[in-house]
Amino acid sequence: MKENVLFILVDCLRADKCYGNKRTAKTPNIDSLVKIGTFFTKVIATTTTTTPSVASLFTGLYTFGHGIRSLQGYKLADSVSTLAEVFKENGYNTYAEVTGPLHPVIGLNRGFDSYNKRGRSNGLFVEEWGNSLIAKLKNHEFKEPWFIFIHLWELHDPRSIAKGFNNDK
């Protein structure tokens, strides 16, 4: 039996600011995922912007290898394979829930059965999208085995912070 794979990328979140340091923000949900999953504390981005960085994560290549060199105006090279394509070739159902600049026209949707690009105002803490995604996970609505990529953009302006976590304490 193949294990399901949930890949959560919180854009602009540094590991040292959310986990393992008592002086940082309280992140009980991240903490519980870390305890049962795989957590990377040292990741070095290949570039300073989201789109080429995600392309590097999906392909294992630097920008000159995969073709996406900036937020806009570039597309993923046809000659490279993506992480979703590899999962798909190995019998996984592939899903993506993304926001920000990860537009399908760039080619980062390649290999996903479902690539849901939501608007900036539809974040994790907005009832419609966030509750829908949580319900899908709880109700086992994703066909197994699955690879799900979730890209969270909420740390960008304007920031969206859940009630109960938006304070100085």
Side-chain angles (χ1 to χ4, degrees):
M1 181 176 170
K2 296 179 181 181
E3 296 289 330
N4 293 322
V5 178
L6 177 62
F7 183 156
I8 302 172
L9 174 61
V10 182
D11 207 297
C12 293
L13 181 65
R14 290 174 33 184
D16 65 332
K17 298 297 180 189
C18 71
Y19 182 78
N21 182 340
K22 303 257 187 249
R23 296 174 290 164
T24 61
K26 293 179 182 177
T27 55
N29 294 323
I30 291 174
D31 296 351
S32 65
L33 287 171
V34 167
K35 288 178 185 172
I36 63 170
T38 302
F39 177 72
F40 299 93
T41 58
K42 295 183 182 182
V43 178
I44 300 171
T46 59
T47 183
T48 60
T49 56
T50 297
T51 308
S53 290
V54 172
S56 290
L57 284 171
F58 280 7
T59 64
L61 300 170
Y62 289 108
T63 57
F64 57 83
H66 57 62
I68 300 176
R69 298 174 185 236
S70 185
L71 288 175
Q72 299 175 2
Y74 294 91
K75 291 186 178 180
L76 190 65
D78 292 335
S79 60
V80 300
S81 296
T82 66
L83 184 60
E85 288 175 314
V86 172
F87 272 104
K88 190 81 190 144
E89 290 168 6
N90 285 281
Y92 279 79
N93 299 288
T94 55
Y95 306 91
E97 294 285 340
V98 304
T99 192
L102 302 181
H103 301 283
V105 70
I106 295 166
L108 294 176
N109 63 332
R110 205 163 63 213
F112 285 103
D113 296 315
S114 171
Y115 191 87
N116 181 23
K117 163 73 170 77
R118 63 195 184 281
R120 285 185 77 166
S121 62
N122 294 328
L124 184 61
F125 308 117
V126 175
E127 286 188 31
E128 298 170 26
W129 179 81
N131 287 342
S132 173
L133 178 61
I134 291 166
K136 286 179 187 177
L137 287 165
K138 283 183 177 178
N139 297 327
H140 307 282
E141 292 181 31
F142 295 106
K143 187 176 177 188
E144 294 189 10
W146 47 250
F147 165 67
I148 302 173
F149 173 68
I150 300 175
H151 174 254
L152 301 173
W153 185 256
E154 285 74 8
L155 293 181
H156 289 270
D157 287 327
R159 286 179 183 79
S160 175
I161 301 171
K163 293 176 184 172
F165 294 96
N166 195 7
N167 60 48
D168 293 333
K169 297 177 184 174

mmCIF file of all heavy atoms in Angstrom, residues 5-9 57-58 83 146-151:
data_model
loop_
_atom_site.group_PDB
_atom_site.id
_atom_site.type_symbol
_atom_site.label_atom_id
_atom_site.label_comp_id
_atom_site.label_asym_id
_atom_site.label_seq_id
_atom_site.Cartn_x
_atom_site.Cartn_y
_atom_site.Cartn_z
ATOM 1 N N VAL A 5 0.786 11.466 0.431
ATOM 2 C CA VAL A 5 1.805 12.498 0.632
ATOM 3 C C VAL A 5 1.140 13.870 0.600
ATOM 4 O O VAL A 5 0.524 14.237 -0.396
ATOM 5 C CB VAL A 5 2.910 12.424 -0.445
ATOM 6 C CG1 VAL A 5 3.937 13.536 -0.247
ATOM 7 C CG2 VAL A 5 3.579 11.054 -0.432
ATOM 8 N N LEU A 6 1.266 14.601 1.706
ATOM 9 C CA LEU A 6 0.759 15.959 1.805
ATOM 10 C C LEU A 6 1.956 16.897 1.888
ATOM 11 O O LEU A 6 2.744 16.826 2.819
ATOM 12 C CB LEU A 6 -0.116 16.117 3.054
ATOM 13 C CG LEU A 6 -0.681 17.508 3.342
ATOM 14 C CD1 LEU A 6 -1.608 17.955 2.218
ATOM 15 C CD2 LEU A 6 -1.421 17.506 4.678
ATOM 16 N N PHE A 7 2.093 17.761 0.889
ATOM 17 C CA PHE A 7 3.206 18.714 0.796
ATOM 18 C C PHE A 7 2.611 20.106 1.005
ATOM 19 O O PHE A 7 1.872 20.603 0.168
ATOM 20 C CB PHE A 7 3.850 18.595 -0.584
ATOM 21 C CG PHE A 7 5.058 19.460 -0.842
ATOM 22 C CD1 PHE A 7 5.971 19.072 -1.802
ATOM 23 C CD2 PHE A 7 5.291 20.652 -0.182
ATOM 24 C CE1 PHE A 7 7.089 19.850 -2.093
ATOM 25 C CE2 PHE A 7 6.403 21.432 -0.445
ATOM 26 C CZ PHE A 7 7.298 21.030 -1.408
ATOM 27 N N ILE A 8 2.919 20.703 2.147
ATOM 28 C CA ILE A 8 2.421 22.040 2.458
ATOM 29 C C ILE A 8 3.580 23.019 2.360
ATOM 30 O O ILE A 8 4.596 22.852 3.031
ATOM 31 C CB ILE A 8 1.803 22.104 3.870
ATOM 32 C CG1 ILE A 8 0.663 21.105 3.997
ATOM 33 C CG2 ILE A 8 1.329 23.528 4.179
ATOM 34 C CD1 ILE A 8 0.124 20.965 5.408
ATOM 35 N N LEU A 9 3.416 24.021 1.534
ATOM 36 C CA LEU A 9 4.411 25.077 1.393
ATOM 37 C C LEU A 9 3.784 26.383 1.855
ATOM 38 O O LEU A 9 2.839 26.866 1.246
ATOM 39 C CB LEU A 9 4.876 25.210 -0.058
ATOM 40 C CG LEU A 9 5.811 26.375 -0.370
ATOM 41 C CD1 LEU A 9 7.111 26.265 0.417
ATOM 42 C CD2 LEU A 9 6.092 26.454 -1.851
ATOM 43 N N LEU A 57 11.609 23.467 -6.727
ATOM 44 C CA LEU A 57 11.148 22.388 -5.843
ATOM 45 C C LEU A 57 10.505 21.266 -6.642
ATOM 46 O O LEU A 57 10.699 20.091 -6.355
ATOM 47 C CB LEU A 57 10.135 22.924 -4.830
ATOM 48 C CG LEU A 57 10.679 23.724 -3.671
ATOM 49 C CD1 LEU A 57 9.536 24.377 -2.892
ATOM 50 C CD2 LEU A 57 11.498 22.845 -2.745
ATOM 51 N N PHE A 58 9.717 21.620 -7.657
ATOM 52 C CA PHE A 58 9.004 20.630 -8.460
ATOM 53 C C PHE A 58 9.905 19.873 -9.426
ATOM 54 O O PHE A 58 9.560 18.775 -9.848
ATOM 55 C CB PHE A 58 7.894 21.294 -9.264
ATOM 56 C CG PHE A 58 6.629 21.568 -8.488
ATOM 57 C CD1 PHE A 58 6.542 21.379 -7.121
ATOM 58 C CD2 PHE A 58 5.508 22.020 -9.146
ATOM 59 C CE1 PHE A 58 5.377 21.632 -6.426
ATOM 60 C CE2 PHE A 58 4.331 22.278 -8.469
ATOM 61 C CZ PHE A 58 4.268 22.084 -7.107
ATOM 62 N N LEU A 83 7.521 17.033 -10.121
ATOM 63 C CA LEU A 83 7.247 16.148 -8.995
ATOM 64 C C LEU A 83 5.876 15.490 -9.160
ATOM 65 O O LEU A 83 5.725 14.282 -8.943
ATOM 66 C CB LEU A 83 7.309 16.958 -7.690
ATOM 67 C CG LEU A 83 7.144 16.220 -6.381
ATOM 68 C CD1 LEU A 83 8.231 15.158 -6.214
ATOM 69 C CD2 LEU A 83 7.198 17.210 -5.218
ATOM 70 N N TRP A 146 -2.796 9.447 -2.694
ATOM 71 C CA TRP A 146 -2.749 10.797 -3.223
ATOM 72 C C TRP A 146 -1.462 11.528 -2.859
ATOM 73 O O TRP A 146 -0.817 11.242 -1.870
ATOM 74 C CB TRP A 146 -3.949 11.636 -2.826
ATOM 75 C CG TRP A 146 -4.390 11.645 -1.389
ATOM 76 C CD1 TRP A 146 -5.538 11.068 -0.907
ATOM 77 C CD2 TRP A 146 -3.766 12.283 -0.255
ATOM 78 N NE1 TRP A 146 -5.648 11.306 0.450
ATOM 79 C CE2 TRP A 146 -4.569 12.053 0.873
ATOM 80 C CE3 TRP A 146 -2.602 13.019 -0.077
ATOM 81 C CZ2 TRP A 146 -4.261 12.523 2.145
ATOM 82 C CZ3 TRP A 146 -2.273 13.492 1.193
ATOM 83 C CH2 TRP A 146 -3.097 13.246 2.284
ATOM 84 N N PHE A 147 -1.144 12.475 -3.731
ATOM 85 C CA PHE A 147 -0.121 13.486 -3.495
ATOM 86 C C PHE A 147 -0.859 14.813 -3.581
ATOM 87 O O PHE A 147 -1.460 15.130 -4.611
ATOM 88 C CB PHE A 147 0.991 13.426 -4.549
ATOM 89 C CG PHE A 147 1.878 14.653 -4.565
ATOM 90 C CD1 PHE A 147 2.704 14.940 -3.491
ATOM 91 C CD2 PHE A 147 1.868 15.523 -5.644
ATOM 92 C CE1 PHE A 147 3.513 16.078 -3.503
ATOM 93 C CE2 PHE A 147 2.668 16.656 -5.672
ATOM 94 C CZ PHE A 147 3.497 16.933 -4.591
ATOM 95 N N ILE A 148 -0.867 15.566 -2.475
ATOM 96 C CA ILE A 148 -1.536 16.860 -2.445
ATOM 97 C C ILE A 148 -0.501 17.931 -2.136
ATOM 98 O O ILE A 148 0.227 17.839 -1.149
ATOM 99 C CB ILE A 148 -2.656 16.901 -1.387
ATOM 100 C CG1 ILE A 148 -3.701 15.812 -1.643
ATOM 101 C CG2 ILE A 148 -3.307 18.288 -1.351
ATOM 102 C CD1 ILE A 148 -4.745 15.675 -0.552
ATOM 103 N N PHE A 149 -0.453 18.928 -3.007
ATOM 104 C CA PHE A 149 0.416 20.087 -2.799
ATOM 105 C C PHE A 149 -0.463 21.271 -2.423
ATOM 106 O O PHE A 149 -1.388 21.630 -3.159
ATOM 107 C CB PHE A 149 1.204 20.412 -4.077
ATOM 108 C CG PHE A 149 1.993 21.698 -3.989
ATOM 109 C CD1 PHE A 149 3.089 21.797 -3.141
ATOM 110 C CD2 PHE A 149 1.633 22.795 -4.745
ATOM 111 C CE1 PHE A 149 3.811 22.977 -3.043
ATOM 112 C CE2 PHE A 149 2.362 23.979 -4.667
ATOM 113 C CZ PHE A 149 3.454 24.074 -3.805
ATOM 114 N N ILE A 150 -0.198 21.843 -1.254
ATOM 115 C CA ILE A 150 -0.938 23.014 -0.790
ATOM 116 C C ILE A 150 0.041 24.172 -0.661
ATOM 117 O O ILE A 150 1.027 24.085 0.077
ATOM 118 C CB ILE A 150 -1.642 22.747 0.557
ATOM 119 C CG1 ILE A 150 -2.634 21.591 0.412
ATOM 120 C CG2 ILE A 150 -2.340 24.013 1.058
ATOM 121 C CD1 ILE A 150 -3.285 21.167 1.712
ATOM 122 N N HIS A 151 -0.235 25.224 -1.383
ATOM 123 C CA HIS A 151 0.601 26.433 -1.342
ATOM 124 C C HIS A 151 -0.195 27.518 -0.631
ATOM 125 O O HIS A 151 -1.273 27.910 -1.071
ATOM 126 C CB HIS A 151 0.954 26.878 -2.763
ATOM 127 C CG HIS A 151 1.689 28.172 -2.799
ATOM 128 N ND1 HIS A 151 1.092 29.337 -3.215
ATOM 129 C CD2 HIS A 151 2.962 28.491 -2.466
ATOM 130 C CE1 HIS A 151 1.986 30.328 -3.145
ATOM 131 N NE2 HIS A 151 3.112 29.840 -2.695
#
